[in-house]
Structures are given as C-alpha cells and as structure tokens.
Amino acid sequence: MSGITDPLPGGVGLSHISAYEWEAADGVCGGSPHLHLACTEAYVVTGGRGAVQTLTVEDGYAETPLEPGAVVWFSPGTVHRMVQGGGLKVTVLMQNSGLPEAGDAVFTFPAQVLADPEAYAAAAALPAREGPEAEAAARRRRDLAVTGYLELRAALERGDDGPLRAFHEAAVRLVGPK
C-alpha cells in the first residue's frame, strides 16, 4: 500500500463493490486476493465495516481497517484482499479504466496454475454473470486464490519474500503476451 503519492492518471474507472459474505478456508469472509501489474487502485468506503489485507515485499503482511470515509490506495504489485466485517460497501477508483479486465489483474492462484496460461484462464473464468452457476464459479475462483494467498502470506510472516517475488514474476509472464 502507498500514500496518495501514486496518483490516478489517465482514464479512471469507477465501480461499486462489496466483499463476499462466503467464508473461505481460513474462516474469513471476503473477496478474491489479487494484484494489478500496472494500475493504481483506491478503495473509498461508503458503508459498513471490514478490512483490506495486503502483501508487499516492502511491508510484508498488513491489515487495514475499513469504515465509512476511509480511503486506501494500492500501488501496482500490491496483493490485496477485501474482508467483510458487516455490510461493507466500497467505491473503487481504478487507474486505466478497462485495463484490469484486459489482464492487468492477476489472482493469487497457486504456482502450478499460474505457470499454465490455459489452467489460469479456466480457473479465472466466470461462465455466467448471475445465478447459482455464477456464484459457484466465483466461490471456486475465490477459494483457489485464497489458497495461493495463504501460502504467500505464511512465507512473508516467516520473513521469506521469495514466494511473493516468484508470484510477481509468474504474473508478469502470464499477462506479458496480452
């Protein structure tokens, strides 16, 4: 995470999101951990409570509380996971509107999935936009991302930033052709 020293130049995307209410393997209800390779992102909390968990080489693991009025910035390369605390609502400001959807966002899937572009695409896909099939696919995607995230977090908590650096390298290799 960084301060407001990383401005949002160019086209800015705006969306309204909330964290999943579904419990993950670690008992936390929240979103799919991911990073952006080239885009700065900001969360503006408009309702409820929660937190954002981040992983960086510089700061390791951190958790920042989210409550109405909070603004949290993420520079490129920051792994982030939004955690539900109750009714959490966030407005997202995203640099380079459309770029994250074109491949700038990379989920923290385990290394073997990141190493295979076809396996990554299959794991990241949401075959439907709404309904039970969409929810089941979103849960599978989130849970797989949490599996990889927890491995990265555990390594950082042991003082080992090697797995996070390897994740960054794999993310670049994965989206480089795009």
Side-chain angles (χ1 to χ4, degrees), residues 138-160:
R139 282 180 187 246
R140 283 191 303 273
R141 180 174 74 180
R142 189 277 313 262
D143 291 347
L144 187 60
V146 167
T147 297
Y149 167 83
L150 292 175
E151 293 169 3
L152 297 173
R153 177 177 161 180
L156 284 172
E157 289 176 330
R158 291 190 309 271
D160 180 6

Side-chain angles (χ1 to χ4, degrees), residues 19-109:
Y20 297 137
E21 302 271 348
W22 319 316
E23 191 172 296
D26 62 348
V28 173
C29 297
S32 302
H34 64 283
L35 61 66
H36 302 280
L37 293 171
C39 295
T40 297
E41 179 178 15
Y43 285 178
V44 179
V45 182
T46 57
R49 301 247 182 283
V52 62
Q53 298 175 340
T54 56
L55 305 177
T56 64
V57 170
E58 301 79 19
D59 298 322
Y61 167 74
E63 184 167 303
T64 303
L66 298 177
E67 59 186 26
V71 177
V72 182
W73 292 78
F74 310 103
S75 57
T78 300
V79 173
H80 50 287
R81 175 190 191 195
M82 188 167 55
V83 173
Q84 186 62 262
L88 183 61
K89 302 286 184 208
V90 173
T91 296
V92 177
L93 297 160
M94 177 65 69
Q95 176 188 12
N96 299 320
S97 180
L99 185 60
E101 295 78 13
D104 174 65
V106 178
F107 294 104
T108 56
F109 295 151

Side-chain angles (χ1 to χ4, degrees), residues 3-30:
I4 204 157
T5 59
D6 296 322
L8 293 166
V12 175
L14 182 69
S15 59
H16 304 285
I17 63 172
S18 59
Y20 297 137
E21 302 271 348
W22 319 316
E23 191 172 296
D26 62 348
V28 173
C29 297

